Structure formats: structure tokens, C-alpha cells
Amino acid sequence: MKTRNHLIAGIITVFSLMGTTVQAQETNYDESKVGTYVLPDALTMHNGQEVVKKEQWEAERRPEIIKLFQDNEYGILPEAIINSNYRIVEESDNALGGKAIRRQVEITFSNKGQSRKMLVLIYLPKGVKKCPVFVSPNFQGNATTTTDPYVIESQFSTNGRANQTSRWSYELIINSGYAVATFHYFDVYPDKDNVVSESIYPLFGINSNDDLLDNTGKSIAAWAWGCSRVLDYLLTLDNIDKERAIVMGHSRLGKAALWCGAMDQRFAMVVSNDSGCSGAALSRRNYGETVERINNSFPWWFCNKYQTYNQDVSSLPMDQHELIALIAPRAVYVASALEDQWADPHGEFLSLQEASKVYALYGFDTLKGYSFPSVNEPLWKGNCGYHIRTGIHDVTDFDWESYIGFANEKLKLSE
Ligand code: GTR
């Protein structure tokens, strides 16, 4: 018996040691162990030609890069004509202490005999004829973003009311003359595995994981799609400034905001708040979350093809700086948090810096030659903004103040 017990103890020790080793290998937080890597050049065409003019970037190189992200990472939505029906379910011109108009709109998407509903909460500053607007999905349901008792709970929210208000600086946004529109991301794709049938995909003829091709999108593509559908609605309103729409997202929704803004050029500005791996951060840096970790933890976020790069990120035909480059020449803001090393703040900055050279085609200053900025000191050059603030993985007033300040400067407010 003694021998057997020893054997079992030995086996347990070996497994725990293995666990520790695997864990340590998977998450590196040591800058000296990031490794060497060569980034694909955003300005070199597949045929080797160098892009020196914005016309060639727009007509040839940009479509090449979009296809790389569609085929290898975020996936595509099949061609389909989806009908969107808008119904105002609640409205008041006396919201947020009388400073805002509140409007709640139910959008019903339909196609192929299926329909899905999204509830959008919109606040518009009173007395502004044309408001710039932030479109930003929320994690826990519309009613969790505010103490406003008239906000209707989102259909899939199980989180009660007002428990994420610190992430939504509505007063600040409204006082700055901006409108804001949010929706619960579960309305388009519940954030879990094996729920294709509950998402918007059946509207496109995709009903389960079995229908997914290598390059069919999953939840990130769906959340990005949702932001664009909210913009469709906002653009029907007279008091929205059509030239000044901003898509903003935090974390996994920051990845979706980047993808949305990269594709949907109606957005004049894109904000990535702590988007990290497969968002703003370079994939080739071995620091914090890796492509393998993200694919293993969240297999429903990216297209199936993305998993084939788990063991060898250097074989990815693109990297995340090229995602940011797709936003050029429009304004882009990448933000990190000091205690969010999992998202690799340095890798987010380097990615934006590398992307900024595409902005030079349009005559903008780049981030070339600038070193990683000090904490809480935003660095804005040309149409690219970056900051790393103190604190954890979160959205704070400091973040919103910076986005608004940057938008005021870069989108040249007319009112
Ligand atoms: C983490 C994930 C990150 C980030 C984050 C979030 O678990 O590893 O990539 O997306 O979730 O969305 O809060």
C-alpha cells in the first residue's frame, strides 16, 4: 500500500510540475523573453511591390489586407439581404437630469424566415443640432450601464441594473456635446460556445457549428456587424452628425470595434480600449495572452482557420498593426492599462506605431521615433492616439475624457 501511495503522490507531483511548466511557458510577462519577430509590411503588396501612394493603398493593398483578416482571423458573414425594422419603444426629452434626450429603439433583423431583436439605448445631448456619436456595445445589458430607472433591461441580461455604471461616463459624454448608443452584445451573439443558432447567423443561413467554413465569422464578426447596424439607424436621424460617428469597444468588444471600424468606413474614428490579443496587440510578441490561449479559451470568437496558427504565429500572413492600418486615414485611438499586462500594453503601442506609417501616405505625422509614453500621459500624433493609464482592465472617466478630447481635436467639432 505504501508503495502505491508513493506512486500516486509521485504521479500527482509530476502532473502539478507539468502544469506549472505549461502555465509558465504560456504566459510570459518578461520583456526580455518576447523573442525576435519580423512583422509583415503593411505597405508591401503580395506581389512584392511597395505602396507609396494613397491611391494604391486604397485600391489594391487595403483590399488585400482586409481579405487576410477575413480569411484567417475574424471571418466573413455570408452575402445576405437582412431587413432591419426600427421601432421606438420609449423616448423622453428629460433624461440625465434634463440634459439629454433618451431614446430606446428595438431593431428587428429578419431574413430566411428568421428574426432577431436588438435593443438600442441612445442618449442625445439636448440643444445640439448635429451630434457626433459614440457607438459602443455593452457587456451586461443596457440597464446595467446607468442608474436611469427608465432604461429597459436587455432580453438576455441576467445582471440586474446599474452594476456597470462606472464604465459609462454618460454625463461627461452628454456634457461634451456627444451622443452615445449602446446595445447588449448578447443580442447579436451570446458570448459562449455552441450558440450559433441563438445568434444572428441563422439570418445568413448558418445554423450551427457544422455550417461554419474555415473562414466563416463567429462572435467577433457578429458584434462588429451589430455596431454597423446601430450606425445604419443613427444615420436616419437628423440630429446625428453623419461625418462624426465613433465606434468604441472595451476588451473583446475592443477587438470587435477595431474590426468594425476597419471594415465600415462610415466610422470617422475607432477606439480600442484594452483590446489586447487579437485586437490592437501584435500577435508575434510572446507577451501576455497568446493566439493559442485565446483560441483555446474562446473558440467561438474567431473563424476556424485562426486556430491553425496556434503553434506558429509567425506563419500568420498578417499581424494586428495591419488591422489598425485599415482605419487610415481616419482617427484611431488605442488605450491600455498598466495593470492589464495580459493585454500587452507595449505590444498595443508598437502595433499602433507601426500602423501609423500608413497614415503618412495621407500626410499625417506618425508615431515613428516616439518611445512608449509615460503612464497617464496621452500621446497623440497625426490621427493616431495612445495612452496607458494607471489601473486595471476597465473603462474609466480618464479613458472617456481622452477619447472625447482626441475626437474634439481630430474630428473638428463644428458646433
Ligand atoms: C479575457 C480575454 C481577453 C479579453 C478579456 C475581456 O478573458 O482573454 O482577450 O478579451 O477577456 O473581454 O474582458
Side-chain angles (χ1 to χ4, degrees):
M1 273 314 278
K2 201 174 172 213
T3 324
R4 193 164 169 258
N5 279 346
H6 275 147
L7 187 65
I8 292 170
I11 291 171
I12 290 171
T13 313
V14 168
F15 271 109
S16 345
L17 281 174
M18 276 171 61
T20 322
T21 318
V22 168
Q23 187 67 25
Q25 276 172 353
E26 278 182 352
T27 309
N28 172 50
Y29 291 118
D30 180 349
E31 197 60 39
S32 72
K33 296 195 179 121
V34 162
T36 52
Y37 55 87
V38 179
L39 291 178
D41 183 4
L43 291 176
T44 303
M45 301 274 304
H46 288 336
N47 64 12
Q49 220 186 331
E50 202 194 330
V51 178
V52 287
K53 290 212 162 87
K54 63 177 193 286
E55 290 75 16
Q56 191 184 6
W57 164 260
E58 284 169 17
E60 297 174 43
R61 181 59 177 153
R62 193 171 181 281
E64 276 187 1
I65 297 178
I66 288 179
K67 189 153 170 30
L68 291 177
F69 280 101
Q70 287 176 327
D71 287 348
N72 298 288
E73 188 167 349
Y74 304 111
I76 53 165
L77 300 178
E79 288 287 318
I81 297 170
I82 311 286
N83 184 57
S84 294
N85 186 274
Y86 306 128
R87 185 171 73 91
I88 298 172
V89 286
E90 193 273 343
E91 190 164 32
S92 162
D93 65 359
N94 191 23
L96 303 182
K99 289 181 178 162
I101 298 165
R102 180 187 58 242
R103 181 178 277 202
Q104 301 184 72
V105 182
E106 183 183 80
I107 307 182
T108 304
F109 304 113
S110 54
N111 190 31
K112 297 191 184 284
Q114 301 264 351
S115 67
R116 294 288 180 274
K117 287 186 193 305
M118 168 198 263
L119 184 64
V120 188
L121 167 64
I122 305 166
Y123 286 114
L124 298 135
K126 266 199 206 161
V128 182
K129 277 199 239 95
K130 292 275 177 208
C131 319
V133 60
F134 283 97
V135 175
S136 185
N138 66 69
F139 279 84
Q140 300 200 347
N142 295 353
T144 69
T145 68
T146 173
T147 52
D148 182 343
Y150 297 99
V151 172
I152 303 163
E153 285 188 37
S154 299
Q155 58 190 325
F156 300 119
S157 175
T158 50
N159 297 289
R161 311 186 67 89
N163 62 325
Q164 289 221 311
T165 56
S166 67
R167 287 190 175 179
W168 296 89
S169 307
Y170 286 145
E171 290 241 346
L172 173 70
I173 296 170
I174 293 299
N175 289 342
S176 308
Y178 285 72
V180 56
T182 188
F183 65 97
H184 185 208
Y185 73 145
F186 272 48
D187 284 359
V188 277
Y189 199 118
D191 193 3
K192 34 190 170 173
D193 208 359
N194 294 313
V195 291
V196 174
S197 63
E198 296 163 44
S199 75
I200 47 131
Y201 280 91
L203 304 171
F204 297 85
I206 308 271
N207 295 299
S208 74
N209 279 349
D210 296 340
D211 296 336
L212 301 171
L213 304 176
D214 269 3
N215 70 342
T216 312
K218 292 189 203 159
S219 66
I220 296 219
W223 299 328
W225 180 88
C227 294
S228 287
R229 300 296 70 78
V230 172
L231 183 59
D232 292 346
Y233 172 72
L234 292 169
L235 294 181
T236 68
L237 304 181
D238 286 343
N239 46 357
I240 287 290
D241 187 336
K242 298 176 177 42
E243 309 299 317
R244 293 175 178 82
I246 303 161
V247 59
M248 180 279 189
H250 169 60
S251 203
R252 63 200 71 186
L253 293 174
K255 307 179 211 294
L258 284 169
W259 181 229
C260 173
M263 299 279 287
D264 190 339
Q265 295 182 282
R266 298 173 302 172
F267 284 106
M269 177 169 146
V270 182
V271 180
S272 150
N273 192 94
D274 305 355
S275 65
C277 177
S278 309
L282 294 173
S283 300
R284 278 166 172 77
R285 272 170 57 86
N286 172 31
Y287 193 101
E289 188 173 27
T290 60
V291 169
E292 182 181 14
R293 280 293 285 271
I294 209 167
N295 275 325
N296 289 341
S297 311
F298 307 103
W300 63 94
W301 284 3
F302 306 95
C303 72
N304 287 337
K305 181 76 188 289
Y306 200 40
Q307 299 181 3
T308 66
Y309 299 102
N310 285 353
Q311 305 303 324
D312 182 16
V313 281
S314 66
S315 64
L316 273 165
M318 74 292 169
D319 208 315
Q320 299 304 117
H321 62 295
E322 291 171 294
L323 175 67
I324 299 173
L326 291 174
I327 298 162
R330 294 165 292 143
V332 63
Y333 203 118
V334 173
S336 315
L338 191 59
E339 289 172 50
D340 185 20
Q341 294 297 314
W342 179 242
D344 187 11
H346 206 187
E348 296 193 305
F349 175 71
L350 292 174
S351 179
L352 178 67
Q353 186 173 47
E354 182 65 20
S356 73
K357 75 180 186 191
V358 174
Y359 284 75
L361 295 179
Y362 293 85
F364 284 109
D365 286 345
T366 72
L367 287 164
K368 207 165 169 261
Y370 287 90
S371 43
F372 192 55
S374 304
V375 174
N376 297 335
E377 287 184 18
L379 176 64
W380 303 348
K381 289 291 159 215
N383 249 5
C384 299
Y386 178 84
H387 72 237
I388 176 162
R389 61 156 170 79
T390 40
I392 58 167
H393 185 70
D394 200 359
V395 192
T396 67
D397 280 347
F398 179 88
D399 294 319
W400 281 110
E401 274 160 19
S402 307
Y403 305 148
I404 291 167
F406 186 72
N408 284 345
E409 190 175 304
K410 304 302 171 190
L411 304 186
K412 306 262 183 305
L413 279 190
S414 49
E415 304 275 330

